[in-house]
Amino acid sequence: MNEFLKNLRNVQRSNNQRYSGGSTRKEVDGNYYPGKERRKVKDRRKQQQQEESLCIEELINEAIPSINSYMAKIADSLERLTEQNETLIDAKIKQCRSMDLFFNTISTKLDDKISISIEDNGSFTSPGGEICINNRSEKRHTKNEVIAMIKDMRKNSATFSEIAESLQEKGIPTFSGRGAWHAQTIHRLCKK
């Protein structure tokens, strides 16, 4: 039986030598490997890495022209976008200036002593600086003038309710044009 096993091993060795082209050697784990054809793992990895890097370089070289064209398109788009933003900013600046001019004009018109007279038939006229209500002619005062009057009365030690009564008697309308003067309103104006 031992001879049979020896012959079997010899036949296997000769088959391995025939296919591998060289002698075989037994590794530590007990497996037989062909001796000359064996490459190291590092060599195979290096070769794979070189092949991959060549492939990547080829892909990059093929992609460069299309990347350049896309970059040029992006640059053109950015230039157009900045031009549009600049025109939009200019338009907004013009809009703000016109709004400022509009409100300044309204403010100066309201600060001017605009007066209205109401006639018996209900028609409105504007004679220079007079308001005629209930057949009583009164001078129209600006907000700053009314506040100055209130502060002067307060310096003369008038109470808040006395100042309110005085303004009512003189026929000076409130800043809103509605209602009557009250001591609390005078108090708030004196605090400012």
Side-chain angles (χ1 to χ4, degrees):
M1 183 88 165
N2 285 337
E3 287 184 33
F4 173 75
L5 291 175
K6 285 181 183 178
N7 287 335
L8 183 65
R9 283 185 190 157
N10 287 335
V11 170
Q12 285 178 349
R13 283 185 188 163
S14 65
N15 286 341
N16 282 340
Q17 287 177 356
R18 206 175 322 140
Y19 293 121
S20 65
S23 65
T24 60
R25 60 188 174 125
K26 187 174 184 180
E27 295 291 327
V28 176
D29 59 356
N31 297 324
Y32 288 95
Y33 297 102
K36 292 182 180 177
E37 293 296 315
R38 177 82 175 151
R39 287 189 302 175
K40 294 181 181 177
V41 174
K42 290 181 183 178
D43 293 339
R44 278 188 280 161
R45 285 187 186 154
K46 284 181 184 178
Q47 185 178 1
Q48 285 176 349
Q49 289 173 351
Q50 289 173 353
E51 290 172 0
E52 288 174 0
S53 64
L54 288 174
C55 185
I56 290 172
E57 286 178 18
E58 289 174 6
L59 290 173
I60 290 173
N61 289 335
E62 290 175 4
I64 285 176
S66 60
I67 290 172
N68 286 337
S69 67
Y70 288 130
M71 293 299 283
K73 288 179 184 178
I74 289 171
D76 291 340
S77 298
L78 287 175
E79 284 180 29
R80 281 182 285 177
L81 185 63
T82 54
E83 290 172 4
Q84 290 174 353
N85 282 339
E86 287 174 359
T87 55
L88 182 64
I89 289 170
D90 290 340
K92 288 202 182 238
I93 289 172
K94 288 179 183 177
Q95 181 185 15
C96 289
R97 286 180 182 161
S98 64
M99 293 292 285
D100 184 45
L101 179 65
F102 173 75
F103 285 115
N104 283 338
T105 304
I106 288 178
S107 175
T108 55
K109 294 292 182 186
L110 292 177
D111 285 343
D112 290 344
K113 294 180 181 178
I114 299 172
S115 61
I116 301 170
S117 67
I118 303 171
E119 297 178 3
D120 291 335
N121 61 4
S123 63
F124 294 95
T125 59
S126 58
E130 302 266 329
I131 298 177
C132 296
I133 300 174
N134 296 332
N135 294 328
R136 214 169 75 185
S137 178
E138 299 172 2
K139 177 100 172 131
R140 177 146 185 141
H141 300 282
T142 63
K143 184 177 181 178
N144 292 333
E145 291 174 347
V146 173
I147 292 174
M149 288 172 48
I150 291 170
K151 289 187 179 182
D152 285 339
M153 286 186 220
R154 189 71 182 142
K155 284 181 185 175
N156 294 331
S157 51
T159 63
F160 297 126
S161 57
E162 289 174 349
I163 295 171
E165 289 173 9
S166 173
L167 292 174
Q168 282 298 116
E169 288 173 3
K170 291 180 182 177
I172 297 173
T174 60
F175 297 137
S176 66
R178 296 175 280 161
W181 289 102
H182 297 287
Q184 290 176 335
T185 309
I186 306 299
H187 184 271
R188 269 187 261 127
L189 289 173
C190 287
K191 280 188 172 182
K192 291 184 181 180

